[in-house]
Amino acid sequence: MAALDERARNLQLRIGMGVAEARAMHPFLDIVEADPVADRRLLESLADWCDRYTPLVALDGEDGLFLDITGCVHLFGGERCMLDDVLARFFHQGFDVRAGIASTPGAAWAAARFGYSPLVDPGQEEDLLAPLPLVALRLDAVTRAGLESVGLRTSGAIMSAPRAPLVRRFGRQVVLRIDQALGRVEEAISPRLPVPSLSAERALAEPIGLLDDIEALVGLLAKQLRIDLERRGEGAESLQLNLFRVDGAVSRISVGASRPLRDPKLIQKLFHERLAAVEKDIDAGYGFDVVRLSVPVVARFDAIQSDLNGEGGDQGGDIAMFADRVRARLGNQAILGTRLVGSHLPERAAIPEPFSAMEKPKPSISPSSRPNSAKSADQSACATAKERPVRLLERPECVEVGFEEAAKGPQMHFRWRRASYRIARSEGPERIAPEWWRGEAETEPRDYFRVEDEEGRRYWLYRQANGGENAPRWFLHGVFA
C-alpha cells in the first residue's frame, strides 16, 4: 500500500503492507490503484494556488509544501488569521490538510505532521521536538534504525546526547537536521518557480469573471508597478498576469515586450490582445478573487526626449508596440526579423529570428546636429549600398531567357512559372561568388541583374557564370516592390 486515509490507519493498516494481507484482515476494503503522476500534478496545482500567499512555494516530497511567509503575514492579519484562511480554503476544496508555522522549516515540518500546536513561537522549537519520534527530524530510514538500535528513540534523546559520538557513528546528517530545526544552521527553501522582480496584486471582495473587469484591473495594477519601475529606472520586458480562482485553479497569462515598458496604457493594450487570444482557454468558474500582475524580467529604461519640433524621439516605438501586440495575439513566430550571417550567397546571408530577439536600434542623433564628417560618411555609405529585393525566394528558380524581334529592335524576355515577361530595362551585372573555403560542389560565380518588365514590375535575375561552352543558365532569385 502506498497511502492510507484516516479510517484505514484506525484499522491498524500500515503503508507498505500487501493488498492480500490487508484484505485478509478486512475483506471489504476499498482499494484504488496509485497514480504517482496524477498525484504530482495535483500537488503542483496546489503549489500554484498557494502562490496567492507567498511567491516562495516549494514542494516537500510527495505530499507536502513549504511556504516561506516572511514579510507576507501582515497582509492577512497575522499568523493565526493566515493559517485559519489556508486551512478553511483547503477544507472547502475537499482536502484534509495539516499545517504548522515556525521560524525554521524543520520545526514547521514537525509541527504540521506531529505537533499538537500548529503555531511554534521562536525559541520553542526544542520543546516541540523533544517528545516526537526520530522521523520528526527528517532522518532517513537507515539512520533511524541505527539510532533506535542503541536506545535513542526520540528527538529529545538525540539532542541531549554527546554530538561527537553521534557524528562518528551515524554521520553529520543527524546533527545537521537538529541544528536546522533549532535555527542554528540556516536552511533555505528553493521555490519551484522564479520569484518576479516586482509584483502588484488585488484581493477582491467579490470574485470577477469578465474579461473587461480583468483588463480594468490590469490597468490599475500597472499604475502601481509604474511607481516602482520609475524609482528603479527600469522597464518591464515581460509581464505575467496570475488569476487565482475561488476553487483553487490558477491561470497564468504572459506577454513580452521588445522594448522595456512601464506605461500602464501600453501594458493594458498588450494584455487586451493576449486575453482575446486565450479567451476560450480561461475558465472563470465561480470567479477570480485574487489578481496579480508580476514583472519577471526587467531592463534599464532609457527615456528619450524629443526636441521642440517633436523630432528625435523614439522613432521605432510605434513599430515595436505593433509587433508586440501582434505577437501577443498570434504568438512569437507571427512576426520574424532577419539577422545577418557571414555568407556571400544571398539565400544564406540572413536567417529568420523572432522579433523579440532582434537587436534593438539605438537612439539616433538628429541629422541637423551631426558634424559634416558624419554626413559625408553616411552619404558615401548609402551611395555604395547595393539594392536588394524586398522578397527573396527560399531557393532560386530556373527561368527561360531569350530574345525576340520587336518594332523597336531585339528585345529580351524571360519565362517564369508558365508566364512570359518582356524586359523593358535592366541594370547589372553584379558578380557574387560563393565562399571558396566551404569546399562545396557549386563554386561558379553568379552575375546578378535588376530588370524591369513593361508593366513596371522589377525582378532580381542572375546568370550562372560557368564560363563554359554551354549556354548559361538563368535563375530568378527575388522580387522588388
Side-chain angles (χ1 to χ4, degrees), residues 3 22 26 40 70 87 131 136 152 163 172 178 209 219 252 257 262 272 286 307 309 325 382 394 426 455 470:
H26 306 281
R40 185 72 173 185
T70 305
L87 296 177
L152 300 175
R163 298 170 67 92
R172 292 188 55 84
I178 294 175
R252 301 183 187 275
R262 61 188 184 197
H272 171 77
Y286 292 103
D307 53 23
N309 295 328
R325 295 182 66 179
C382 294
E394 185 176 358
S426 66
E455 298 183 5
N470 298 330

Side-chain angles (χ1 to χ4, degrees), residues 307 311-312 364-371 375:
D307 53 23
E311 300 177 354
S364 58
I365 303 175
S366 176
S368 59
S369 60
R370 294 180 180 176
K375 287 185 179 180

Side-chain angles (χ1 to χ4, degrees), residues 337-342 348-353 357-359:
T338 56
R339 179 169 59 87
L340 298 180
V341 296
R348 62 189 185 197
I351 58 175
E353 64 179 5
M358 295 176 60
E359 184 178 357

Side-chain angles (χ1 to χ4, degrees), residues 133-457:
L134 297 180
V135 68
L137 291 175
R138 296 176 294 167
L139 299 174
D140 58 78
V142 176
T143 304
R144 294 200 307 269
L147 290 169
E148 291 174 354
S149 65
V150 296
L152 300 175
R153 301 181 181 278
T154 63
S155 301
I158 297 179
M159 290 187 288
S160 60
R163 298 170 67 92
L166 287 176
V167 174
R168 284 197 301 267
R169 184 167 182 178
F170 302 103
R172 292 188 55 84
Q173 183 195 23
V174 178
V175 296
L176 176 62
R177 286 303 191 186
I178 294 175
D179 291 340
Q180 287 177 341
L182 299 181
R184 299 169 184 168
V185 176
E186 184 178 358
E187 180 181 1
I189 294 178
S190 300
R192 55 183 297 268
L193 297 177
V195 181
S197 301
L198 293 171
S199 63
E201 71 175 39
R202 182 69 61 88
L204 307 173
E206 293 292 335
I208 62 173
L210 299 178
L211 291 185
D212 292 340
D213 297 336
I214 296 175
E215 290 182 21
L217 272 178
V218 168
L220 295 176
L221 296 176
K223 291 180 180 179
Q224 298 180 23
L225 290 177
R226 180 175 60 178
I227 299 174
D228 292 329
L229 290 172
E230 289 178 347
R231 176 175 50 82
R232 299 169 56 166
E234 296 174 338
E237 282 195 338
S238 68
L239 297 110
Q240 185 179 76
L241 180 65
N242 298 331
L243 304 174
F244 297 89
R245 212 167 65 184
V246 175
D247 60 353
V250 181
S251 298
R252 301 183 187 275
I253 304 168
S254 300
V255 297
S258 55
R259 297 188 178 188
L261 292 179
R262 61 188 184 197
D263 187 349
K265 292 183 179 180
L266 299 182
I267 294 175
Q268 196 171 14
K269 287 181 180 179
L270 289 183
F271 276 104
H272 171 77
E273 302 295 343
R274 189 60 186 158
L275 289 171
V278 299
E279 180 179 2
K280 296 181 180 179
D281 300 329
I282 299 178
D283 183 10
Y286 292 103
F288 304 106
D289 60 343
V290 175
V291 178
R292 177 185 299 160
L293 183 62
S294 304
V295 184
V297 182
V298 297
R300 179 180 175 182
F301 188 91
D302 295 322
I304 303 174
Q305 183 173 353
S306 60
D307 53 23
L308 296 178
N309 295 328
E311 300 177 354
D314 188 3
Q315 303 295 334
D318 294 339
I319 297 178
M321 176 51 58
F322 168 76
D324 292 340
R325 295 182 66 179
V326 172
R327 292 190 300 119
R329 175 75 70 117
L330 304 177
N332 259 344
Q333 301 298 321
I335 295 185
L336 299 177
T338 56
R339 179 169 59 87
L340 298 180
V341 296
S343 179
H344 295 169
L345 295 182
E347 62 266 26
R348 62 189 185 197
I351 58 175
E353 64 179 5
F355 184 83
S356 58
M358 295 176 60
E359 184 178 357
K360 309 303 184 295
K362 297 181 179 179
S364 58
I365 303 175
S366 176
S368 59
S369 60
R370 294 180 180 176
N372 294 332
S373 59
K375 287 185 179 180
S376 59
D378 289 347
Q379 291 173 357
S380 61
C382 294
T384 57
K386 300 297 184 180
E387 187 179 4
R388 290 293 180 258
V390 175
R391 179 191 174 195
L392 191 71
L393 301 182
E394 185 176 358
R395 293 183 179 180
E397 298 183 9
C398 186
V399 297
E400 300 176 5
V401 177
F403 291 88
E404 61 181 13
E405 292 293 335
K408 51 185 177 181
Q411 192 171 13
M412 186 177 178
H413 70 91
F414 69 93
R415 184 177 180 83
W416 174 53
R417 294 183 179 179
R418 301 182 181 180
S420 183
Y421 303 89
R422 296 179 182 271
I423 299 177
R425 55 185 62 86
S426 66
E427 182 182 6
E430 175 191 353
R431 174 155 292 192
I432 298 178
E435 302 85 16
W436 59 267
W437 56 86
R438 287 180 177 264
E440 297 173 338
E442 182 186 357
T443 57
E444 294 90 357
R446 304 173 180 178
D447 291 332
Y448 279 86
F449 295 84
R450 293 184 292 275
V451 301
E452 182 178 334
D453 64 9
E454 294 179 338
E455 298 183 5
R457 295 184 291 259

